[in-house]
Amino acid sequence: MRVRLDHVVIAVSDWERANAFYGEVCGAEVVALDDPPTHWRYRFGDQVLNVHGPGMSPGPVARVRVAPGNSDLCLVWPGPIEAAVGHLRGHGVEVEQGPVERNGAAGPGTSVYFRDPDGSLLEFISYA
């Protein structure tokens, strides 16, 4: 038996701001979960970030609930890391650290670190 990761949960404080950031900056498909939309999830290929945010009462939840700004996520950048830096700067997102060498799920790579609007730490790793 081989278990694999299906989704993880993040929390945001403002749907409009987070949807724009994760869609435009991180390249997620922003998926509305009801009509009219009151909550969303962020799809990256066959992985998903479930999102807890304003107006929701999700359950079950972790003993210490995920809160806006307390996540730490790594996303695979599909090209050279220099392009990721240019992409972030083009969206007015500050690179906090990097490029730096890191080891990810696929082995050695190069990463840059930045933050979402709530302060969660995000990383783009490039294996190019």
Side-chain angles (χ1 to χ4, degrees):
M1 174 176 66
R2 183 176 179 152
V3 175
R4 65 183 182 86
L5 185 64
D6 182 81
H7 68 274
V8 296
V9 173
I10 64 168
V12 301
S13 64
D14 180 293
W15 285 116
E16 187 175 337
R17 183 177 67 172
N19 290 350
F21 181 87
Y22 280 90
E24 296 167 16
V25 175
C26 297
E29 175 190 356
V30 178
V31 180
L33 296 179
D34 44 17
D35 187 23
T38 59
H39 65 288
W40 292 261
R41 71 172 46 142
Y42 305 144
R43 183 180 311 283
F44 297 90
D46 60 352
Q47 280 84 40
V48 171
L49 291 179
N50 281 354
V51 187
H52 294 176
M56 291 183 67
S57 296
V61 296
R63 188 166 294 135
V64 177
R65 291 183 68 156
V66 176
N70 76 349
S71 296
D72 187 339
L73 304 169
C74 180
L75 304 169
V76 177
W77 181 261
I81 202 65
E82 294 77 17
V85 171
H87 173 78
L88 291 169
R89 289 188 177 142
H91 285 281
V93 176
E94 179 184 348
V95 173
E96 238 179 67
Q97 185 179 11
V100 293
E101 299 303 311
R102 292 291 188 253
N103 281 302
T110 307
S111 294
V112 293
Y113 293 87
F114 57 103
R115 295 197 183 266
D116 80 359
D118 286 305
S120 286
L121 182 65
L122 301 179
E123 172 185 356
F124 279 150
I125 188 168
S126 171
Y127 296 108

